[in-house]
């Protein structure tokens, strides 16, 4: 779901590419043609996409953890089924995205190893803890809401397998945000305690969610190449503004207060938010968020604990192949 | 130690009887049986399918995009293969 | 203040539905604990699918129990406001996940039974139970397929996987007898054609066990000592912890709607 903050590219090693092929490639992009796995592409395009798609995939997989934290405590069977289905979807989305990244020539295992070793990034939003049930509502409402803003343009991304994966993801995710908002509506119509729980969750998640869109345009590097290659179609600030404008009326409907006393509406109707604390964003990105270590540790544990299972399946497949060969030889 | 690779499979699904199987995505599995089960668990969760094929990705032989000219352009000039190439008087009606 | 336990009038049919509902909920809950932690993404998807099947079964059975009981209980009151002594699930299903082998063996033991059970229950003279059976049978048929394939791979995979799978079989075997037990409250339902006698399924179940376990190069334990108690609320220590997690919000905020 969540890639905007991670956009970056390697526009610099383009000098080594054959200029004519690069020009033809750019012409195809400009013509809105899709690039497919076996097509020639600049090394930097391949590298940028591999990184962006795999970071997107890592985000889906790590993103299972904060919400997964509440599956066993969901307060009704209906909520439990919906949450399990939602977190399962995120696993599926990670899987589709790794598959899209693999078409660029790096195996899923290698990409996952990069994440587990801490070398690859994932969306910083998942380094925040889910403390109450209202966090599950808030994640669906805001985190998935932000993700949708981000992902819809990616359905038209120039790289075919990524665009196709995103179409599938967007289709499946259409229930995620509604699921979260419904939880919020229920809490806000509930007891005083429940309403306070909802407000508290909004207070904690609001600013990290705005950070999901990535650094402000004035300092965002590399966007130019990604835009030129039609990997990215809107700037970080454009998407962030769109999200804020869509969300403020929803918060008003819920009777919740956005934790930004300085927020005003300008004459064109846009909600102008206060300065974002980018120092916090940079700290979380650098590994110092409240849950960075736990998230990685949980993923590593699942990976390590599963090693003997994967080995068993591989060993069995080898044995079966050998048996079939032996049978055929008889 | 790097994680060993588990084979990659391509998944094709027939969504309704009467339609052809269509490529929907990929997955990793150590053998064909597990690949088929995984395809069911991953790609048919919303009632998308009635039939599944899984094919080892390395069993697919693909045409080379750089040979697009040789492979596909010669067909483009054979416009007489299409019904619209031929004139049939309007009075004859649909043919 | 915490929310109090509900009272349930456990007439034979209410109790019958609750027992099967609790089976499905508790096993579904256990499977849901895997979400995000499975050995591979493909298995994460599979375990969640099975968990969702079971949650769905539980909800239908609770709804039916509530209807038959005719008080103001509902699926959530049954799930969230009964304590350990009121739960009626099989001991097997509350056993902790352990490693993947243990989860698969538990699934295999139960699904092999559930598949036969639901297929037989499609002929129940109770139309609601027959309808639930028709839906559940298709789900459990897949669960037995999925878990059998894994039993074979784990048993006939590596030395380590073989050892883990055998240990799980040895540890969980004593919980399988309870699936075939019948008490007085069920006897009347069986006589009325509402329920089936699970004892009649045992030979077929045993056959599945033997054939899959043999193929997996594993062995079934010789011991025929079987633990009992889940059906009357005498559980293992594990269930209390599961429920304290499952019920935490409902217990902390009495009467709230979620």
């Amino acid at each position: 779901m969540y890639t905007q903050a991670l956009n970056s590219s390697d526009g610099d090693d383009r000098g080594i590419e054959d200029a004519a092929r690069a020009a033809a490639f750019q012409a195809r992009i400009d013509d809105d043609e899709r690039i497919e796995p076996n097509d020639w592409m600049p090394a930097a395009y391949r590298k940028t996409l591999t990184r962006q798609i795999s970071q997107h995939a890592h985000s889906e997989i790590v993103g299972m953890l904060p919400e997964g934290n509440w599956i066993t405590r969901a307060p009704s069977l209906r909520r439990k089924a919906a949450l399990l289905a939602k977190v399962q979807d995120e696993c599926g989305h990670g899987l589709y995205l790794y598959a899209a990244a693999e078409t660029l020539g790096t195996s899923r295992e290698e990409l996952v190893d990069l994440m587990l070793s801490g070398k690859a990034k994932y969306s910083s939003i998942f380094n925040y803890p889910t403390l109450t049930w209202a966090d599950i509502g808030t994640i669906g409402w805001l985190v998935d809401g932000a993700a949708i803003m981000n992902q819809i343009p990616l359905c038209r991304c120039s790289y075919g397998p990524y665009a196709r994966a995103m179409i599938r993801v967007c289709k499946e995710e259409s229930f995620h945000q509604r699921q979260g908002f419904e939880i919020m509506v229920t809490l806000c119509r509930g007891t005083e305690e429940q309403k306070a729980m909802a407000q508290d969750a909004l207070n904690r998640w609001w600013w990290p969610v705005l950070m999901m869109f990535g650094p402000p345009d004035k300092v965002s590097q590399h966007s130019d190449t990604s835009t030129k290659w039609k990997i990215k179609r809107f700037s970080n600030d454009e998407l962030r503004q769109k999200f804020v404008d869509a969300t403020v009326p929803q918060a008003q409907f819920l009777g919740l207060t956005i934790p930004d006393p300085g927020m005003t509406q300008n004459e064109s109707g846009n909600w102008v938010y206060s300065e974002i604390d980018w120092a916090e964003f940079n700290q979380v990105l650098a590994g110092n968020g409240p849950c960075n270590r736990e998230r990685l540790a949980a993923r590593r544990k699942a990976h390590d604990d599963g090693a003997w299972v994967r080995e068993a399946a591989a060993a069995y497949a080898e044995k079966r192949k050998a048996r079939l060969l032996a049978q055929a030889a008889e | 130690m790097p994680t060993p690779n588990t084979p990659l499979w391509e998944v094709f699904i027939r969504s309704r009887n009467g339609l052809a199987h269509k490529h929907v995505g990929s997955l990793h599995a150590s053998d064909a049986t597990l690949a088929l089960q995984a395809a069911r668990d991953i790609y048919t969760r919303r009632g998308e399918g009635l039939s599944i094929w899984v094919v080892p990705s390395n069993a697919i032989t693909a045409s080379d995009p750089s040979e697009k000219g040789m492979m596909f352009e010669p067909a483009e000039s054979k416009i007489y293969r299409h019904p619209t190439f031929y004139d049939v008087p309007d009075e004859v009606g649909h043919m | 203040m915490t929310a109090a336990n509900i009272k349930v009038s456990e007439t034979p049919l209410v109790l019958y539905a609750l027992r099967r509902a609790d089976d499905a909920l508790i096993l579904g809950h256990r499977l849901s604990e895997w979400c995000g932690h499975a050995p591979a993404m493909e298995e994460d998807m599979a375990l969640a699918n099975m968990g969702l099947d079971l949650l769905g079964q539980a909800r239908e059975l609770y709804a039916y129990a509530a209807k038959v009981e005719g008080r103001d209980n509902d699926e959530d009151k049954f799930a969230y406001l009964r304590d350990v002594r009121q739960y009626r699930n099989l001991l097997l299903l509350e056993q902790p996940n352990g490693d993947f082998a243990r989860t698969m063996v538990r699934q295999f033991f139960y699904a092999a039974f559930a598949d036969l059970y639901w297929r037989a229950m499609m002929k129940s003279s109770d139309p609601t139970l027959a309808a639930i059976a028709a839906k559940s049978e298709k789900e459990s048929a897949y669960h037995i397929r999925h878990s059998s394939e894994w039993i074979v791979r784990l048993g006939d995979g590596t030395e380590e996987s073989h050892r883990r799978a055998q240990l799980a079989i040895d540890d969980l075997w004593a919980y399988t007898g309870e699936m075939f037990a019948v008490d007085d409250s069920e006897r009347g339902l069986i006589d009325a054609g509402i329920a089936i006698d699970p004892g009649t399924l045992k030979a077929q179940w045993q056959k599945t066990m033997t054939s899959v376990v043999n193929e997996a190069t594993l062995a079934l334990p010789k011991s025929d000592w079987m633990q009992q108690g889940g059906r009357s609320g005498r559980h293992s220590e594990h269930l209390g912890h599961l429920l304290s997690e499952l019920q935490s919000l409902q217990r902390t905020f009495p009467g709230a709607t979620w």
Side-chain angles (χ1 to χ4, degrees):
Chain A
M1 299 185 236
Y2 318 95
T3 55
Q4 187 83 2
L6 305 162
N7 285 340
S8 54
S9 59
D10 295 87
D12 302 335
D13 26 312
R14 288 199 52 213
I16 53 171
E17 304 292 353
D18 169 34
R21 284 206 287 188
F25 174 83
Q26 190 59 50
R28 290 185 62 194
I29 301 254
D30 295 343
D31 269 0
D32 265 335
E33 257 188 66
R34 289 285 191 274
I35 307 301
E36 293 296 337
N38 292 334
D39 292 347
W40 185 88
M41 61 187 84
Y45 179 83
R46 184 183 301 277
K47 203 169 153 192
T48 299
L49 270 171
T50 302
R51 188 160 59 195
Q52 177 170 334
I53 303 171
S54 62
Q55 286 177 346
H56 196 164
H58 304 328
S59 301
E60 296 282 356
I61 298 301
V62 177
M64 296 172 75
L65 298 170
E67 288 177 282
N69 182 37
W70 280 90
I71 292 173
T72 54
R73 291 180 289 170
S76 73
L77 296 184
R78 180 174 182 272
R79 296 275 181 237
K80 193 180 179 69
L83 185 60
L84 178 54
K86 175 181 191 280
V87 181
Q88 182 201 38
D89 271 353
E90 279 151 21
C91 182
H93 299 167
L95 208 148
Y96 309 154
L97 286 160
Y98 280 122
E102 283 188 286
T103 62
L104 292 158
T106 314
S107 73
R108 179 168 101 187
E109 289 81 0
E110 210 177 314
L111 297 169
V112 169
D113 284 348
L114 280 172
M115 188 257 283
L116 296 177
S117 70
K119 286 189 194 120
K121 297 225 180 314
Y122 55 85
S123 180
S124 57
I125 194 76
F126 302 116
N127 290 316
Y128 290 87
T130 50
L131 301 181
T132 71
W133 176 249
D135 291 36
I136 299 308
T138 309
I139 288 182
W141 172 36
L142 298 182
V143 176
D144 287 280
I148 289 165
M149 292 282 168
N150 230 329
Q151 292 180 152
I152 287 174
L154 284 171
C155 296
R156 294 186 294 130
C157 153
S158 62
Y159 188 57
Y162 193 20
R164 289 193 287 276
M166 289 322 300
I167 289 170
R168 198 177 180 92
V169 168
C170 286
K171 208 152 99 188
E172 294 188 354
E173 263 189 21
S174 51
F175 93 80
H176 292 188
Q177 194 187 14
R178 293 169 67 105
Q179 177 260 166
F181 195 72
E182 193 190 89
I183 292 175
M184 297 309 279
V185 172
T186 311
L187 292 174
C188 291
R189 288 178 182 163
T191 64
E192 280 308 308
E193 257 174 322
Q194 285 177 304
K195 197 164 175 194
M197 196 188 271
Q199 181 64 54
D200 168 61
L202 175 60
N203 294 349
R204 282 181 288 111
W205 289 92
W206 176 252
W207 292 106
V209 166
L210 292 195
M211 294 173 200
M212 280 175 70
F213 294 93
D217 295 349
K218 56 179 194 276
V219 300
S220 176
Q221 318 157 1
H222 307 307
S223 279
D224 291 353
T225 342
S226 282
T227 307
K228 197 177 88 187
W229 282 334
K230 294 192 183 163
I231 296 171
K232 181 172 176 170
R233 288 174 181 267
F234 296 98
S235 80
N236 295 354
D237 284 338
E238 280 168 344
L239 288 174
R240 186 164 20 239
Q241 188 60 55
K242 215 169 136 191
F243 170 78
V244 171
D245 290 341
T247 306
V248 170
Q250 293 163 356
Q252 288 168 342
F253 173 86
L254 291 170
L256 296 176
T257 310
I258 303 260
D260 180 359
M263 184 182 261
T264 51
Q265 198 170 21
N266 66 17
E267 58 277 17
S268 36
N270 299 121
W271 288 94
V272 184
Y273 47 90
S274 306
E275 188 64 29
I276 294 171
D277 178 5
W278 292 109
E280 175 180 329
F281 177 73
N282 290 327
Q283 282 300 326
V284 178
L285 220 52
N288 298 323
C291 299
N292 293 56
R293 282 158 212 278
E294 280 152 271
R295 299 293 185 241
L296 267 188
R299 284 314 307 160
R300 281 189 198 127
K301 182 172 190 309
H303 187 77
D304 295 347
D305 289 354
W308 68 269
V309 178
R310 300 188 299 271
E311 281 159 19
Y316 176 80
E318 283 306 314
K319 282 188 203 174
R320 188 156 79 169
K321 219 183 281 171
R323 276 178 215 146
L324 288 173
L325 278 175
Q327 266 174 24
E330 270 168 25
Chain B
M1 197 189 84
T3 305
N5 285 2
T6 304
L8 186 66
W9 300 75
E10 300 304 320
V11 182
F12 299 82
I13 295 204
R14 183 204 296 287
S15 56
R16 276 189 289 130
N17 275 340
L19 295 182
H21 286 76
K22 188 173 166 235
H23 184 245
V24 294
S26 330
L27 55 84
H28 288 257
S30 53
D31 61 58
T33 308
L34 291 190
L36 197 60
Q37 287 184 180
R40 179 262 191 197
D41 281 317
I42 297 162
Y43 290 104
T44 67
R45 311 203 300 292
R46 289 171 167 82
E48 294 95 331
L50 290 176
S51 164
I52 303 175
W53 289 347
V54 287
V55 181
S57 304
N58 61 17
I60 291 176
T61 308
S63 63
D64 180 346
S66 69
E67 294 174 348
K68 201 171 70 183
M70 167 185 89
M71 295 286 282
F72 307 115
E73 276 175 32
E76 283 171 19
S77 58
K78 316 293 193 293
I79 51 173
Y80 42 80
R81 292 194 200 274
H82 299 284
T84 46
F85 179 75
Y86 302 93
D87 289 328
V88 173
D90 288 347
E91 308 89 275
V92 179
H94 180 71
M95 182 178 276
Chain C
M1 170 182 146
T2 53
N5 294 327
I6 55 164
K7 291 199 167 46
V8 184
S9 324
E10 287 185 339
T11 59
L13 187 53
V14 170
L15 179 60
Y16 192 81
L18 277 181
R19 285 172 170 176
R20 275 79 209 167
D22 290 348
D23 285 350
L25 174 64
I26 297 302
L27 183 57
H29 181 98
R30 282 292 188 218
L31 292 175
S32 80
E33 291 172 359
W34 273 104
C35 190
H37 308 279
M41 283 168 237
E42 283 76 6
E43 279 318 301
D44 224 308
M45 301 297 292
L47 291 164
N49 274 344
M50 291 192 285
L52 287 166
D53 286 344
L54 290 160
L55 272 178
Q57 293 173 14
R59 295 181 64 187
E60 290 184 15
L61 287 159
Y62 283 136
Y64 187 51
K67 191 174 152 220
V68 175
E69 192 195 16
R71 296 161 66 129
D72 68 342
N73 288 326
D74 57 28
E75 59 172 34
D76 286 333
K77 286 186 180 161
F78 284 134
Y80 290 89
L81 297 175
R82 285 179 304 146
D83 75 5
V84 173
R85 299 285 285 118
Q86 294 174 290
Y87 259 77
R88 301 289 177 236
N89 60 283
L90 298 166
L91 297 174
L92 173 67
L93 308 178
E94 70 199 40
Q95 298 309 306
N97 287 338
D99 61 14
F100 186 71
R102 189 163 294 242
T103 293
M104 278 300 123
V105 166
R106 185 183 63 199
Q107 196 70 19
F108 170 61
F109 285 169
Y110 176 70
F113 168 78
D115 188 39
L116 297 169
Y117 170 75
W118 289 124
R119 206 178 311 158
M121 281 296 285
M122 287 163 67
K123 299 197 186 78
S124 166
S125 63
D126 180 310
T128 308
L129 290 178
I132 293 173
K135 176 170 164 285
S136 304
E137 190 275 327
K138 294 188 191 77
E139 294 167 343
S140 56
Y142 185 75
H143 299 182
I144 183 65
R145 153 101 53 106
H146 179 270
S147 53
S148 305
E149 293 292 349
W150 272 109
I151 298 301
V152 169
R153 277 156 188 75
L154 297 180
D156 195 14
T158 62
E159 257 175 59
E160 181 179 8
S161 67
H162 181 93
R163 179 179 57 74
R164 287 174 182 265
Q166 187 61 58
L167 182 65
I169 289 177
D170 295 345
D171 285 352
L172 294 175
W173 182 250
Y175 297 112
T176 57
E178 205 179 18
M179 297 190 289
F180 304 97
V182 172
D183 62 8
D184 290 344
S185 102
E186 297 199 357
R187 184 61 62 194
L189 298 174
I190 293 169
D191 294 342
I194 292 170
I196 57 111
D197 181 351
T200 60
L201 309 174
K202 184 142 189 202
Q204 186 61 39
W205 179 83
Q206 188 76 39
K207 223 171 119 189
T208 307
M209 291 297 110
T210 309
S211 92
V212 173
V213 166
N214 283 349
E215 194 190 338
T217 71
L218 295 161
L220 292 176
K222 299 274 176 284
S223 160
D224 56 3
W225 166 252
M226 291 293 159
Q227 299 286 353
Q228 309 267 346
R231 292 298 190 217
S232 56
R234 281 180 290 117
H235 290 277
S236 64
E237 291 176 349
H238 305 296
L239 185 65
H241 295 284
L242 185 157
L243 294 182
S244 71
E245 205 173 323
L246 174 81
Q247 301 178 339
S248 59
L249 277 176
Q250 291 267 2
R251 296 287 191 181
T252 313
F253 301 96
T257 305
W258 299 94

